[in-house]
Amino acid sequence: MDRMYRVLGFWTGVMAVMFFLGGMKETALLFLTQTGFFVLVSYLKLSERMYMYIFGAYLTIFFAGFTYYTTFILTPGFGE
């Protein structure tokens, strides 16, 4: 299970680089933070159950933040 967190860290790192190259510096910083979190947690050698609990908490925080952003911050029709 710890290797899957390294895989998550790799892909969030790739996304951070792509966002940075695309000029989206705030999003790149967010993904770089997630990369550090995933890589750090992967080396803690926790039990599989604990890794699942951490991933569930991560998803809960992400969905709550994404819902808040899309409901209250996102401007409708911004991409037109």
Side-chain angles (χ1 to χ4, degrees):
M1 196 68 174
D2 55 340
R3 290 183 182 180
M4 287 311 298
Y5 272 81
R6 288 184 203 127
V7 170
L8 286 170
F10 170 77
W11 285 113
T12 54
V14 168
M15 294 303 292
V17 170
M18 298 299 278
F19 281 127
F20 182 75
L21 293 176
M24 303 173 73
K25 305 227 186 305
E26 294 86 7
T27 310
L29 183 61
L30 176 66
F31 272 77
L32 190 62
T33 305
Q34 289 180 16
T35 300
F37 170 74
F38 285 135
V39 171
L40 177 75
V41 169
S42 72
Y43 286 106
L44 291 178
K45 299 293 183 192
L46 303 171
S47 67
E48 188 167 343
R49 178 180 289 187
M50 194 62 194
Y51 279 122
M52 293 302 291
Y53 285 151
I54 291 172
F55 189 66
Y58 167 77
L59 286 180
T60 302
I61 292 169
F62 168 78
F63 286 132
F66 184 74
T67 302
Y68 176 81
Y69 175 77
T70 56
T71 303
F72 299 111
I73 298 175
L74 186 67
T75 305
F78 71 96
E80 297 176 2

